[in-house]
Amino acid sequence: MEEATIDELHQAIPAGQTSCLAVVRHYLARVRAFNGVASARVTQDGAPTLESTGTVRAGAPLRFPCDTVKATTILPNLDQYREPPLEFGRMEATASDPSVQ
């Protein structure tokens, strides 16, 4: 089903090769398999952070990595930076659900 076009799905369902339920279950399984963040946390010192979870996607909470990248790894001349201080970001509870960051 990963490579099926919409037209192919529209043909497969009435032909009994799959069902709408099977398509949705397959889609949700793929979302769970790839449920993660695509970026690294950047910190001043590169030290690990506490585990934190985010909003629920496909029945599972989004998980954020604990490993971080030291800022000077991607900004090698950071010691020469003279502008306003960098804001490295932070994890905060959401307004609607304090257990979600």
Side-chain angles (χ1 to χ4, degrees):
M1 279 195 274
E2 286 93 17
E3 301 299 324
T5 66
I6 293 173
D7 286 339
E8 290 169 337
L9 282 174
H10 285 184
Q11 293 171 9
I13 293 169
Q17 296 170 324
T18 192
S19 67
C20 290
L21 183 59
V23 171
V24 170
R25 284 183 175 156
H26 184 76
Y27 173 77
L28 290 174
R30 284 180 56 82
V31 170
R32 282 187 206 100
F34 295 101
N35 188 19
V37 295
S39 58
R41 291 181 178 180
V42 177
T43 60
Q44 188 167 5
D45 59 5
T49 59
L50 296 175
E51 184 175 337
S52 55
T53 56
T55 187
V56 173
R57 292 184 185 162
L62 184 62
R63 301 180 71 86
F64 294 93
C66 296
D67 294 335
T68 69
V69 175
K70 188 173 181 176
T72 55
T73 302
I74 54 176
L75 301 168
N77 298 323
L78 186 57
D79 60 329
Q80 298 171 24
Y81 180 71
R82 300 292 177 245
E83 297 301 321
L86 294 179
E87 291 187 33
F88 290 101
R90 59 196 172 279
M91 299 301 289
E92 293 183 351
T94 63
S96 60
D97 183 351
S99 69
V100 174
Q101 297 179 322

